[in-house]
Amino acid sequence: MAEDLDVGVAAVGERESESASGDVVVPGVRRYVAMDGWRALAALSVLIFHTAGEGFYLNHDGLLPSVLSNFGNFGVAIFFVLSGFVIYQPFVDSILGRTPLPASRPFWIKRFFRIFPAYWLALAVHTLFISKESIGLGQLVRRVLLVDVYSDGGVFSGFFIAWTLTVELGFYLLLPGFARLMAHLTPSGAGRRRVAWIHVSALSAVYFSAIGFRLLTRSHTFGLTDGSYLSTPCFVDWFALGMLLAFAAAWTRHGGVMPDAVRQFGLRPWLCWICAATSFAALLYVQRNKAGVMAIESYTDVNARHFFNGLTAFLLVLPVTVARKAPSLGIRVLASRSLVFLGSISFGIYLWHTLVLKVVWDWASTSTPAAAFWGHLPLVAIGTVACAVLSYRVVERPAIEYARALLERRSGVSRSGRE
């Protein structure tokens, strides 16, 4: 939810650097700025979803409530697809370039300082000033460590949006091991076709494993907790889609050739986005008889929601990953200064919007659900952006810079020790 890369390709040989979010930028590759646009829209879609849900507007009949009822899942799907793409980039680039993989410890240190300092601040504000519940020390520790969903009764309790951060952290923990496996299965002597086949097969297996794990959570086997359906294995399908895009981008950078039909499709954003809209409409049709946003879903409904949201996010992000420049109006809008700005603070938007929403609801509640939604939305948006800017400048950016300095000192000590 906080990853950044630039649009375009730099001159080959540009030294490895880090983005403002602390992510390693692959040598020779600039940031995909248009992704910040999707990151901003994903954060705003979650904000809109929760604002509509707070006043029960989502339970009303009509096209707009039906569309908004899926905005939360849609936004999270985009975040996870983007994470899969951005975070896997340095690993897959090393695999295809036959260079050493990024070290796990620095990777985890950067992820820690990107997520936890800002999260702890938002959690403290929620616990001390927003929440009216009393919690024990054990539950507080679980929330601080982002493992509350792995305990019974921890589902959507307290600072409930933190469950997505738990899923992200699980992905961060698993990714270096997956990359090592891919490097082992594709040694230097492997042919290009074999490398592509193994990578696509492995990512397909990861994608379908989520379907199997969701079945396990439904059957309540192996002593799984009631929050296990919100664990990382149930969402690796969305990450796998982003990782597939990362592989495709790295494949072409290292001289591979994409099938012409796939390349031509990706170079036509309007066509990709029409297909994405069709996928989103198909999901709304599948969910047409859903009685409210919190309705209990069948196993088939859950997988349909995952499939269509993942496909929609994949199709929306695809043109951004293949564009060498900003050739279309849509890409230029995503790369516009306002959306890039909102994308750079999107983590703060995600963290703070529910807290601002609680304050706005208590202060300026209105009579009907529709009036509450339209009346509260601008207040929530303005208040959230203000909090997100403050969070980025006071907590997030200093934490990123501290992590960078810490790793540079460690690197310097290691080099001096060897010398």
Side-chain angles (χ1 to χ4, degrees), residues 193-271:
R193 182 172 297 182
R194 179 188 172 190
V195 170
W197 183 86
I198 290 176
H199 235 99
V200 172
S201 298
L203 290 173
S204 298
V206 171
Y207 180 93
F208 287 107
S209 70
I211 299 175
F213 199 87
R214 288 194 289 268
L215 177 61
L216 292 180
T217 63
R218 286 300 177 116
S219 61
H220 300 289
T221 55
F222 303 108
L224 298 176
T225 64
D226 60 0
S228 57
Y229 72 97
L230 296 179
S231 59
T232 302
C234 287
F235 291 88
V236 290
D237 48 347
W238 290 348
F239 290 112
L241 292 172
M243 294 166 70
L244 179 62
L245 291 174
F247 172 77
W251 177 257
T252 56
R253 281 200 305 274
H254 289 276
V257 178
M258 296 293 296
D260 189 62
V262 176
R263 187 176 63 85
Q264 292 299 326
F265 179 69
L267 291 174
R268 289 167 171 77
W270 60 270
L271 181 57

Side-chain angles (χ1 to χ4, degrees), residues 302-331:
V302 171
N303 284 311
R305 175 166 54 80
H306 271 258
F307 172 76
F308 285 113
N309 274 315
L311 179 60
T312 302
F314 178 86
L315 292 169
L316 290 174
V317 174
L318 173 61
V320 177
T321 67
V322 300
R324 300 292 185 182
K325 52 184 178 178
S328 70
L329 176 62
I331 297 292

Side-chain angles (χ1 to χ4, degrees), residues 44-58 64-65 68 71 357 360-361 364-381:
L44 292 176
S45 70
V46 176
L47 181 151
I48 292 170
F49 167 74
H50 285 133
T51 304
E54 187 73 15
F56 301 101
Y57 182 54
L58 298 179
L64 183 58
L68 296 182
F71 262 33
L357 177 58
V360 169
W361 183 262
S365 59
T366 51
S367 55
T368 67
F373 171 66
W374 292 111
H376 290 176
L377 184 58
L379 298 175
V380 174

